[in-house]
Amino acid sequence: MFWQQVFNGLSAGGIYALIAVGFSLIYSIMRYINLAHGSLIMIGAYIGYAVVTATNFPLIPALLAAAAGTAIVSVIVERLAFRPIRVRGVSTLYILVSSMVVSILLQNLVMVIFGPSFRTLPQLVSDVPVVTHPINIARLDFYMMIVVVLSLVSLNFVLYRTKAGRAMRAVSFNPKAAALMGVNTDRVVSLAFALAGALAGIAGIFLGIKYSVYPQLGELILKGFVASVFGGLGSVAGAVVGGLALGVIEVFLIAYGSSSFSPVMIYALLVLILLLRPRGILGRIVEDKV
Amino acid sequence: MKRKRLIFVTLMLLVSMLFLTACGQTAGQGQGGAKSITIGELADLTGPTAVWGQAQDNELKILVDKWNAENQVKLNHKVYDYKANTQEAVSSFNKLADQEKVAVVFGTNNSNANLAFGPLAEAKKVPVLSHAIDPHSTTPAADKLNQYSFLTVASNIIQGKTMAAYTLDKLNLKKVGVLYDQGNSFATTMEQPFEEYFTGHGGTITAKEVFTSNDVDYSSQLTKIISTNPDAILLPNYYKQIALAAQQARKLGFKGVFLGHTGWPSQALLEMAGKDVEGSYFVNYGSFEDPQLQNLQKEYTDKYKKAPEINAAMIGESFAVFTDAVKKIGADKLAAMSLEQQRQALRDAFEKTRNVQGVMNNITIDPKTHRPETAKMAIITIKDAKFKFVETYQVK
Amino acid sequence: MSQATGARFEFHNLTKVFGGLVAVNDVTVEAVAGGITGIIGSNGAGKSTVFNLISGFYKPDAGQVLLEGQDLTGRQPHEIAAAGVGRTFQNIRLFQGMSVLDNVRTALHRSLDYNVFHALLRLPKIRSEEKRAEEAALEALELVGMLEAKELTGSSLPYGLQRRLEIARALAMKPKILLLDEPAAGLNPGEVADLVNLIRSINAKLGLTILVIEHHMDLVASLCQKVFAMNFGQVIAGGTLAEVQNDPAVLEAYLGKGASHA
């Protein structure tokens, strides 16, 4: 049972990590929290659902379609709802509120188009487990973990091995200086939103397969947000560590503690971590800008 | 600008007038020169559970029309949509009690709504006949009885006991694990009597795990449950939670049976997890495959051109209790009373309900709990991704 | 190199009003092509605002910025940077968490010929382009004598080196002109002397037109061929340092009314 629970934890944690990374990416560059990220995940799930039901695509093309579609929505959201506020240079609090409004708007939009009911994606992954002994590894979870690892490795490549990634990091440290280096900060921001959107799309389609597709699917983002704070808000590596840690801790609290106290315990632990180490596990100290 | 605002205001006025007229028409139904009794209904006509509320309201209309065709004293039927929302239920209840001056309120199927307006019914002395599941709607605490609230169908206590007895005696399964939402009385009030009866009659609860309403992944809890090797897992939850739990349990290699109660009968469950819940058993108030309900089904389908939900049969039970009370008091006598007298007379009569033949059950209301203490329930299984009526079953 | 002759750089009648307060009022400056030009003035005289107007962080309300006759007025910062205007900041703005090399490589953003799709599909091209970037970055680091420090993170450097790194970063873009905003701020006397040598050697090697804002009169005296004095958003004098220092308007602004009569 021990290893089964470890796998359960990593499998849940992988999804948290995917959500948290998208969150952290935006926070690290923009220094604001995009509350619409959850709705983007939900949009990803619906795009996946629509594509698969309309075309019978297998998993990989469906994933790509959801990632691309959500990336586009994410970029549009930034253009329409965040950029005008950012350009005006007023408090990021307005962006926070704007992202909340966008989130509700997207939810309602989907409700109007698809209705409030639960949708089930056609079976994309066979039911036959990868292995059953010594632990049971469902094929979906197995594929999901591969995709999560691949997405995170690609993100890492983009961030640390390409000029676009360098530009993104430069903007995250100092947007003005980056602009002086010839970096088009608007374009970098769009790219960051596209990447975060693509991750949201991938997370969305897996959440959709695992937990069905419904307008409030994005509410699961809460765990991803907790994971990113856990690991250190604004740190991409921290988001991964935070996501996996949250998944495993949560599972072990249930497995070896009690399922009735685990929700309380997990949040108590979060508060404790924030008290002892405000920057999270791997976060950098968030310096206040003048 | 000013002109625009004027047009806007005028439009709003027009729209609200339309609304008022529309409401006025429904309220006017059944009013004639003859003596009448005003009855109120709370139904979730819109919102997430609208299918249930509509079935309830549709059937009550049939029953009221039938009554009015056969009797001198007419029933004046007022319905309010509470949108499956607790606050809305409270304000609708107030309107029925104070403005519509109803003698009795029918509804609802929503336990939370009933728990919310229960105290109002006490304060305003308005009797309520509901078909909710939570026993707390009539007994909010162990030593407290809501004098004006009555349940007419099997509460979760009966459901829990029935499923426990059926599992032991008919399915011959002795080891059961439980997974339920610890924050939802819909689940907890079924789990408790199930567990008490099951362990009291030779069964073992091998593991008892909980989750919270917004959780979607129960793999960890299920791993723990499965490691105790149960024959069956009881899932007394909402259909989405059931579907996810069943899928996840199967992925973890669980081969046994799932058990449940009235959260199960939903087409969406079959769509989401048809394969995974194959061979499951659950209790329901009744089944339209049961010959006893053929009559209701036919009348309903003839009138509305679609199949009824079980809620139609449930409102039938309440209506049977109501007509029995009216007949005992005497319809003419009741109609002649003042509103306060009507309410009190009905309450007292409801409390004395004995062996009243309802649509599904022979109803006896226990004066100490204001609900039936025993009821025949339908046992349903899932075969070939369809619900299938097995038999009716009553705990001894 | 095209810089051998030094680029012509000038701005005319620049004006910027912030909520009724005239921060920069009708300022005209012509930089010495291939030489070093200074702008002096007390705090709040509007010097930094002038730089921010040139580099596009503020949009001027009036006036014109011309680089070799090309009008840069009102463009986006990244466009102005791409057109050949490099700058440093008074309070150093490094990419703190990034390595020295990456700091400089960021400056080559524009010159790298690949995009995200290349990044995803054509790996060899990235490698060659990134190698080119690295070489160019190393060249710029060599120019400021920081080759050894290339792996360190920006935030770990002493202040003097951070200043140098900022200059290296600006140089990596191969700018036509370089704006230095109080480069000696926060440096100790030894570091100031090193900085003077560095600026002079860059100017000599690249023939780069340099515009520097400074309080530090030693630095201005040893570097600038031409100096403009600003006060309350206006240029009150221009010429050699000696001329400017003896200008009655400057004396009055610095020493108070009546000083010029003394």
Side-chain angles (χ1 to χ4, degrees):
Chain A
M1 184 166 112
F2 177 80
W3 290 110
Q4 181 71 56
Q5 293 288 26
V6 170
F7 179 80
N8 290 347
L10 291 177
S11 155
I15 285 281
Y16 296 161
L18 215 52
I19 300 174
V21 165
F23 227 71
S24 271
L25 190 64
I26 299 305
Y27 184 80
S28 76
I29 295 174
M30 308 307 302
R31 292 274 174 260
Y32 56 71
I33 289 166
N34 178 14
L35 292 176
H37 196 70
S39 289
L40 287 174
I41 289 173
M42 179 269 298
I43 295 276
Y46 273 96
I47 292 176
Y49 170 77
V51 166
V52 173
T53 42
T55 62
N56 260 323
F57 274 175
L59 183 64
I60 304 284
L63 269 174
L64 293 176
T70 315
I72 292 167
V73 176
S74 174
V75 169
I76 293 172
V77 164
E78 194 276 328
R79 281 276 160 92
L80 297 183
F82 304 158
R83 185 167 298 179
I85 299 174
R86 175 163 58 84
V87 168
R88 234 174 294 141
V90 289
S91 160
T92 52
L93 188 66
Y94 291 94
I95 298 190
L96 188 81
V97 173
S98 178
S99 70
M100 207 189 302
V101 172
V102 168
S103 181
I104 297 167
L105 196 101
L106 289 177
Q107 254 187 50
N108 283 297
L109 192 71
V110 163
M111 204 105 88
V112 169
I113 299 173
F114 291 93
S117 59
F118 294 84
R119 307 279 175 144
T120 320
L121 277 157
Q123 191 172 19
L124 291 171
V125 180
S126 126
D127 269 350
V128 184
V130 183
V131 288
T132 51
H133 197 81
I135 63 169
N136 208 308
I137 296 184
R139 197 157 292 263
L140 175 65
D141 289 334
F142 182 68
Y143 288 172
M144 189 187 80
M145 284 173 96
I146 292 175
V147 172
V148 168
V149 169
L150 280 180
S151 316
L152 295 179
V153 167
S154 325
L155 176 68
N156 205 58
F157 175 81
V158 171
L159 279 183
Y160 290 94
R161 294 276 179 276
T162 68
K163 66 165 184 172
R166 203 157 45 227
M168 256 188 260
R169 286 187 294 140
V171 170
S172 91
F173 286 112
N174 201 318
K176 269 196 177 178
L180 271 187
M181 301 297 111
V183 173
N184 182 343
T185 42
D186 282 348
R187 197 183 299 167
V188 165
V189 169
S190 287
L191 182 62
F193 270 86
L195 284 176
L199 293 174
I202 292 169
I205 204 164
F206 278 117
L207 287 176
I209 298 173
K210 275 181 83 127
Y211 308 129
S212 84
V213 182
Y214 54 100
Q216 292 82 24
L217 185 67
E219 283 165 11
L220 295 177
I221 197 197
L222 184 66
K223 290 278 177 63
F225 180 57
V226 168
S228 66
V229 175
F230 218 50
L233 197 53
S235 156
V236 169
V240 176
V241 172
L244 294 177
L246 181 68
V248 172
I249 292 172
E250 203 178 33
V251 159
F252 274 81
L253 281 175
I254 294 169
Y256 299 104
S258 136
S259 51
S260 43
F261 285 110
S262 90
V264 181
M265 296 291 288
I266 197 90
Y267 291 108
L269 195 67
L270 178 74
V271 171
L272 194 70
I273 284 188
L274 289 181
L275 286 176
L276 297 177
R277 203 178 154 80
R279 77 196 92 145
I281 301 169
L282 290 182
R284 63 189 194 212
I285 297 165
V286 182
E287 62 268 25
D288 275 329
K289 281 193 200 168
V290 183
Chain B
M1 275 312 285
K2 257 192 177 160
R3 175 171 295 181
K4 258 190 188 163
R5 191 169 300 166
L6 194 71
I7 293 171
F8 179 71
V9 171
T10 322
L11 268 175
M12 287 304 288
L13 273 174
L14 273 173
V15 170
S16 42
M17 273 164 69
L18 271 172
F19 251 95
L20 286 174
T21 359
C23 291
Q25 272 169 359
T26 6
Q29 272 174 13
Q31 260 177 344
K35 282 189 290 184
S36 70
I37 301 164
T38 306
I39 62 169
E41 181 197 0
L42 288 174
D44 36 349
L45 296 175
T46 59
T49 51
V51 273
W52 295 340
Q54 286 164 10
Q56 168 195 316
D57 183 52
N58 286 343
E59 176 63 17
L60 190 55
K61 283 200 180 102
I62 291 180
L63 295 169
V64 168
D65 288 349
K66 233 198 262 179
W67 169 280
N68 286 342
E70 291 165 5
N71 292 279
Q72 292 298 312
V73 175
K74 305 297 176 197
L75 295 180
N76 181 12
H77 177 196
K78 311 275 184 183
V79 55
Y80 273 76
D81 177 15
Y82 73 98
K83 305 180 175 83
N85 172 315
T86 310
Q87 281 91 39
E88 197 73 35
V90 167
S91 68
S92 300
F93 183 87
N94 280 332
K95 281 178 202 150
L96 283 175
D98 303 336
Q99 289 161 29
E100 305 292 355
K101 305 201 183 306
V102 300
V104 59
V105 172
F106 287 88
T108 68
N109 53 40
N110 183 315
S111 293
N112 285 337
N114 277 60
L115 293 176
F117 63 67
L120 290 173
E122 295 297 287
K124 295 179 194 287
K125 298 187 189 301
V126 179
V128 176
L129 290 176
S130 88
H131 47 285
I133 196 170
D134 188 344
H136 295 112
S137 7
T138 58
T139 50
D143 54 351
K144 196 173 176 298
L145 176 69
N146 274 345
Q147 295 298 329
Y148 289 83
S149 292
F150 298 86
L151 287 185
T152 59
V153 297
S155 75
N156 245 337
I157 296 174
I158 301 176
Q159 302 202 17
K161 276 190 197 167
T162 308
M163 200 62 229
Y166 194 81
T167 306
L168 283 171
D169 301 342
K170 293 284 184 130
L171 301 177
N172 274 315
L173 303 175
K174 308 287 178 205
K175 287 179 0 188
V176 170
V178 191
L179 177 71
Y180 64 102
D181 179 353
Q182 64 177 338
N184 191 347
S185 66
F186 179 72
T188 53
T189 53
M190 189 274 185
E191 192 279 333
Q192 241 175 324
F194 179 95
E195 187 180 339
E196 270 166 33
Y197 188 98
F198 199 68
T199 52
H201 291 76
T204 314
I205 301 289
T206 59
K208 191 165 119 180
E209 294 293 321
V210 298
F211 56 85
T212 48
S213 299
N214 290 325
D215 289 350
V216 285
D217 205 308
Y218 322 119
S219 302
S220 183
Q221 290 94 324
L222 286 165
T223 301
K224 224 170 144 181
I225 294 172
I226 294 166
S227 74
T228 63
N229 278 318
D231 303 320
I233 299 178
L234 173 68
L235 302 172
N237 306 306
Y238 288 153
Y239 74 88
K240 186 196 148 209
Q241 300 167 330
I242 298 162
L244 292 176
Q247 282 170 344
Q248 290 164 16
R250 294 294 185 222
K251 276 196 190 122
L252 290 164
F254 180 67
K255 302 270 191 300
V257 176
F258 296 111
L259 307 171
H261 72 326
T262 46
W264 280 62
S266 150
Q267 213 47 42
L269 171 64
L270 299 181
E271 277 162 27
M272 281 176 74
K275 204 156 55 351
D276 304 303
V277 292
E278 184 77 16
S280 301
Y281 284 88
F282 62 90
V283 287
N284 199 4
Y285 300 101
S287 163
F288 288 110
E289 291 172 57
D290 182 354
Q292 211 181 326
L293 290 183
Q294 291 311 309
N295 211 9
L296 184 154
Q297 191 175 15
K298 190 176 175 304
E299 274 178 354
Y300 189 101
T301 315
D302 284 350
K303 176 154 186 198
Y304 297 106
K305 311 294 171 218
K306 61 177 175 190
E309 299 284 326
I310 199 66
N311 297 67
M314 291 158 79
I315 196 73
E317 304 289 71
S318 290
F319 197 75
V321 169
F322 170 73
T323 48
D324 175 69
V326 173
K327 280 171 189 155
K328 271 190 202 143
I329 299 164
D332 284 322
K333 204 172 142 202
L334 187 67
M337 288 179 185
S338 74
L339 183 61
E340 285 68 33
Q341 286 169 329
Q342 282 182 346
R343 288 171 174 175
Q344 192 60 38
L346 282 171
R347 189 216 83 90
D348 293 344
F350 293 159
E351 201 168 61
K352 296 192 187 84
T353 304
R354 297 277 175 281
N355 288 319
V356 171
Q357 189 52 50
V359 189
M360 301 179 287
N361 264 295
N362 195 298
I363 306 161
T364 295
I365 285 178
D366 185 333
K368 289 197 282 298
T369 58
H370 279 198
R371 57 180 179 253
E373 283 308 306
T374 178
K376 207 164 54 174
M377 306 262 341
I379 303 291
I380 318 274
T381 188
I382 294 169
K383 195 158 183 287
D384 302 325
K386 281 195 189 79
F387 293 120
K388 197 157 172 15
F389 172 63
V390 183
E391 57 184 312
T392 53
Y393 186 79
Q394 187 157 14
V395 190
K396 278 152 260 157
Chain C
M1 274 193 186
S2 64
Q3 289 103 325
T5 49
R8 275 181 300 114
F9 179 69
E10 64 215 276
F11 46 91
H12 298 290
N13 314 101
L14 274 189
T15 299
K16 180 70 187 173
V17 182
F18 290 117
L21 185 82
V22 186
V24 172
N25 188 1
D26 201 23
V27 170
T28 298
V29 165
E30 210 169 303
V32 182
I36 304 176
T37 308
I39 298 179
I40 59 173
S42 54
N43 277 329
K47 306 184 304 286
S48 284
T49 309
V50 167
F51 270 20
N52 284 334
L53 287 170
I54 298 172
S55 48
F57 291 126
Y58 300 146
K59 303 272 169 274
D61 294 317
Q64 230 184 353
V65 181
L66 297 172
L67 176 60
E68 299 215 283
Q70 186 191 2
D71 192 350
L72 300 181
T73 321
R75 295 201 196 170
Q76 291 292 322
H78 64 93
E79 293 167 340
I80 291 172
V85 178
R87 82 168 276 191
T88 66
F89 292 89
Q90 180 184 348
N91 47 343
I92 295 173
R93 289 171 183 268
L94 291 179
F95 308 126
Q96 295 286 352
M98 289 162 66
S99 73
V100 166
L101 187 61
D102 268 358
N103 260 280
V104 182
R105 264 201 287 208
T106 304
L108 295 152
H109 187 77
R110 284 257 153 177
S111 67
L112 292 186
D113 180 25
Y114 72 87
N115 58 33
V116 191
F117 297 102
H118 289 109
L120 293 173
L121 303 170
R122 281 176 48 191
L123 305 181
K125 168 128 192 183
I126 301 185
R127 211 165 292 145
S128 70
E129 283 291 301
E130 285 293 336
K131 187 148 181 63
R132 201 166 61 73
E134 185 168 338
E135 279 161 11
L138 291 173
E139 200 180 306
L141 283 174
E142 193 173 14
L143 215 47
V144 299
M146 283 187 64
L147 267 185
E148 282 81 52
K150 65 177 180 177
E151 297 300 338
L152 301 176
T153 48
S155 53
S156 71
L157 298 173
Y159 209 69
L161 283 187
Q162 291 197 15
R163 183 70 76 197
R164 272 171 190 258
L165 174 54
E166 218 189 0
I167 293 172
R169 205 173 57 177
L171 290 177
M173 299 182 69
K174 303 233 184 295
K176 297 191 178 117
I177 64 151
L178 182 61
L179 310 178
L180 300 173
D181 191 349
E182 300 203 19
L187 300 189
N188 62 40
E191 287 174 331
V192 173
D194 287 347
L195 182 75
V196 168
N197 289 331
L198 175 66
I199 296 173
R200 200 177 278 147
S201 83
I202 290 167
N203 180 244
K205 264 189 218 160
L206 305 178
L208 190 58
T209 304
I210 296 176
L211 198 58
V212 54
I213 291 177
E214 198 46 77
H215 285 306
H216 226 277
M217 280 308 148
D218 291 353
L219 186 139
V220 176
S222 50
L223 284 177
C224 301
Q225 287 94 10
K226 197 173 169 190
V227 174
F228 292 86
M230 282 185 73
N231 195 31
F232 293 116
Q234 281 178 299
V235 171
I236 52 174
T240 64
L241 181 62
E243 284 165 8
V244 169
Q245 276 177 324
N246 291 313
D247 190 290
V250 174
L251 289 173
E252 192 182 307
Y254 277 78
L255 304 170
K257 238 183 171 56
S260 57
H261 303 298

